[in-house]
Amino acid sequence: MKRRGAITRGTTAAATAVALAAAVAGCGGSEGDADAATGAYEVTADASFPAHQGLAQQSTMKVNVRNRGDRTIPNVSVTLETAGQGTQSAAFATVTDQPGVASRSRPAWIVDRGPVGGEIASANTWSLGPLAPDRAATFQWDVTSIRSGDYRLRWRVDPGFSSDATAVDAHGRPARGTVDVDVTSTPAQARVVGDGRVERVPAR
């Protein structure tokens, strides 16, 4: 947009104010439209996360989503939950039974880095915006394990934040899945690989 000089007189100033107000309103409308998903959006989706980890091990979880339909997905998002706990716990966390605590959610992993630009207000959900047909998006979390145990993480893909829309696979089933992880109480071991990099190896 070209920058224009200030206009300060009469009806021209009023017209400029109206135009600016319309532009601002238009921006707000586009954000709303981004979430106005309706119907079913076909995707392929898969997730990866190391099944065996040691304490203090740095790992990466990824959820890959590809739009297989002929419509742009308005606002592709992924929700992560610990199985059986819903949003009682944060993503990569579990629920404590300890009474009298302000929050029952206790992290099992520290999230060092989540999907860039993907954090939103909805609990345990990340969004990466519109996804055109046959385009792919990758949600990536770099995490460090801090609590041993067996965990099942559930992930779900949504095309927006409307209850009138769903993301489905080629068979019409909801685009979702689980990953099972065993975090041992033994810290991850380190080794030097051929190119001089230090690589952490989980204890089994």
Side-chain angles (χ1 to χ4, degrees), residues 1-6:
M1 184 187 300
K2 293 183 178 179
R3 186 182 182 89
R4 298 184 178 179

mmCIF file of all heavy atoms in Angstrom, residues 1-6:
data_model
loop_
_atom_site.group_PDB
_atom_site.id
_atom_site.type_symbol
_atom_site.label_atom_id
_atom_site.label_comp_id
_atom_site.label_asym_id
_atom_site.label_seq_id
_atom_site.Cartn_x
_atom_site.Cartn_y
_atom_site.Cartn_z
ATOM 1 N N MET A 1 0.840 -1.189 0.000
ATOM 2 C CA MET A 1 0.000 0.000 0.000
ATOM 3 C C MET A 1 0.877 1.241 0.000
ATOM 4 O O MET A 1 1.812 1.339 0.772
ATOM 5 C CB MET A 1 -0.893 0.015 1.248
ATOM 6 C CG MET A 1 -1.852 1.185 1.262
ATOM 7 S SD MET A 1 -2.756 1.298 2.835
ATOM 8 C CE MET A 1 -3.568 -0.267 2.804
ATOM 9 N N LYS A 2 0.539 2.220 -0.886
ATOM 10 C CA LYS A 2 1.334 3.441 -0.928
ATOM 11 C C LYS A 2 0.996 4.318 0.266
ATOM 12 O O LYS A 2 -0.148 4.419 0.680
ATOM 13 C CB LYS A 2 1.063 4.194 -2.226
ATOM 14 C CG LYS A 2 1.566 3.455 -3.458
ATOM 15 C CD LYS A 2 1.336 4.287 -4.701
ATOM 16 C CE LYS A 2 1.869 3.585 -5.941
ATOM 17 N NZ LYS A 2 1.637 4.358 -7.153
ATOM 18 N N ARG A 3 2.004 4.956 0.807
ATOM 19 C CA ARG A 3 1.810 5.856 1.957
ATOM 20 C C ARG A 3 1.353 7.204 1.445
ATOM 21 O O ARG A 3 1.975 7.775 0.543
ATOM 22 C CB ARG A 3 3.126 5.982 2.729
ATOM 23 C CG ARG A 3 2.978 6.761 4.009
ATOM 24 C CD ARG A 3 4.323 6.890 4.681
ATOM 25 N NE ARG A 3 4.213 7.580 5.937
ATOM 26 C CZ ARG A 3 3.980 7.002 7.088
ATOM 27 N NH1 ARG A 3 3.851 5.697 7.132
ATOM 28 N NH2 ARG A 3 3.891 7.698 8.223
ATOM 29 N N ARG A 4 0.269 7.731 1.991
ATOM 30 C CA ARG A 4 -0.247 9.019 1.559
ATOM 31 C C ARG A 4 -0.006 10.069 2.628
ATOM 32 O O ARG A 4 0.059 9.736 3.815
ATOM 33 C CB ARG A 4 -1.759 8.915 1.275
ATOM 34 C CG ARG A 4 -2.066 7.926 0.135
ATOM 35 C CD ARG A 4 -3.540 7.919 -0.181
ATOM 36 N NE ARG A 4 -3.837 7.032 -1.284
ATOM 37 C CZ ARG A 4 -5.062 6.830 -1.758
ATOM 38 N NH1 ARG A 4 -6.077 7.466 -1.232
ATOM 39 N NH2 ARG A 4 -5.251 6.003 -2.770
ATOM 40 N N GLY A 5 0.083 11.318 2.204
ATOM 41 C CA GLY A 5 0.261 12.392 3.156
ATOM 42 C C GLY A 5 -0.980 12.603 3.997
ATOM 43 O O GLY A 5 -2.083 12.206 3.631
ATOM 44 N N ALA A 6 -0.837 13.243 5.137
ATOM 45 C CA ALA A 6 -1.958 13.464 6.045
ATOM 46 C C ALA A 6 -2.966 14.400 5.410
ATOM 47 O O ALA A 6 -2.613 15.382 4.759
ATOM 48 C CB ALA A 6 -1.455 14.053 7.354
#
